[in-house]
Amino acid sequence: MFQELLNAFILIFIAEMGDKTQLLAMAFATKYPVKKVLLGIFIGILINHGLAVCLGCYISSLIPVDTVKMIAGLAFVGFALWSLKSDEEDDENQKLKCSFGPVCTVATVFFIGELGDKTQLTAITLATDANNILVVLGGTVLGMMVTGVIGILVGKKLGNKVHTFLLKIIAATVFMFFGLTKLYVTIPEEYLNVQNILLFLGMIVLLTFLIMRPSAIKKRNTKKRTYIADER
């Protein structure tokens, strides 16, 4: 039980460090009282992840356990790759203009913001293989709350010292470790040969390159423009 709680907490915590929702918590803290922001985050995430673990539990009752574990392993590998993609600009200003009270505003934004996000999908995946979905729910909500507190209290200082790219690498590494471990213990031994393993790892490396390439090109072009501007 404790292991499920710890796994859920670690995955969500690592995934959310430096993510848009943590930055959003920081933004709300500059506008509303901290206690109301934290209460809003708690309500929004509890409802969002509550729906997620219920869906995961339902899926696990329809699909064989071994199949569910393999799907979960592949999902975690997918989340690892997802963590590496560049964040697109979100129109957070429109969200912040919500006319509800502080708690309702924060809860609504976090509920909507997490719909279909990797943390909600992680909660679904964890619930498909859980002995106690309430423990998983507690771990995911706790992970979101802790990252929210960090975003509110020390997010700005942390952001100045730790590059966002490093946080993405850490998140991707954690997801990849859990995914590969789960696949290794669930895939039948006859498929675990050197050829298949190398092919699978090669695909991961290729996908990682394709996902990170646009960010690398954008960064390189930005440096070129800055260099040209300095010369002028």
Side-chain angles (χ1 to χ4, degrees), residues 10-206:
I10 291 175
L11 285 171
I12 297 299
F13 177 80
I14 295 295
E16 281 300 302
M17 286 298 292
D19 196 62
K20 64 180 184 297
T21 47
Q22 187 183 44
L23 301 178
L24 190 58
M26 186 195 308
F28 274 126
T30 64
K31 186 176 182 180
Y32 302 128
V34 172
K35 291 183 179 179
K36 293 185 177 181
V37 173
L38 289 176
L39 179 59
I41 293 174
F42 176 76
I43 293 173
I45 295 303
L46 181 64
I47 297 174
N48 184 288
H49 286 195
L51 294 174
V53 297
C54 288
L55 178 59
C57 184
Y58 176 73
I59 291 174
S60 65
S61 66
L62 299 177
I63 305 175
V65 176
D66 289 341
T67 303
V68 167
K69 289 182 178 180
M70 281 189 284
I71 294 174
L74 290 172
F76 282 134
V77 172
F79 297 152
L81 298 173
W82 190 353
S83 299
L84 294 173
K85 76 179 183 68
S86 60
D87 295 326
E88 295 182 359
E89 294 295 328
D90 295 315
D91 191 3
E92 301 294 354
N93 292 329
Q94 290 184 0
K95 293 180 180 179
L96 292 173
K97 292 179 181 177
C98 187
S99 59
F100 300 120
V103 176
C104 289
T105 297
V106 177
T108 301
V109 169
F110 270 77
F111 174 78
I112 295 174
E114 286 297 305
L115 286 175
D117 195 66
K118 61 179 178 292
T119 48
Q120 188 187 42
L121 297 177
T122 299
I124 294 174
T125 304
L126 288 169
T128 61
D129 192 27
N131 294 320
N132 190 325
I133 61 172
L134 293 180
V135 172
V136 171
L137 177 60
T140 61
V141 172
L142 180 62
M144 290 293 297
M145 292 301 297
V146 172
T147 56
V149 170
I150 293 175
I152 291 170
L153 300 179
V154 297
K156 291 183 179 179
K157 294 182 180 179
L158 183 65
N160 292 331
K161 295 179 180 179
V162 181
H163 198 281
T164 304
F165 179 74
L166 178 59
L167 297 177
K168 289 178 179 292
I169 293 295
I170 294 173
T173 301
V174 172
F175 274 114
M176 188 65 70
F177 173 78
F178 276 87
L180 294 179
T181 301
K182 192 173 287 290
L183 286 173
Y184 182 77
V185 298
T186 55
I187 292 179
E189 291 186 5
E190 58 265 28
Y191 295 104
L192 292 176
N193 54 60
V194 176
Q195 182 179 354
N196 288 340
I197 292 175
L198 290 177
L199 179 61
F200 183 71
L201 293 178
M203 290 176 60
I204 292 177
V205 171
L206 177 61

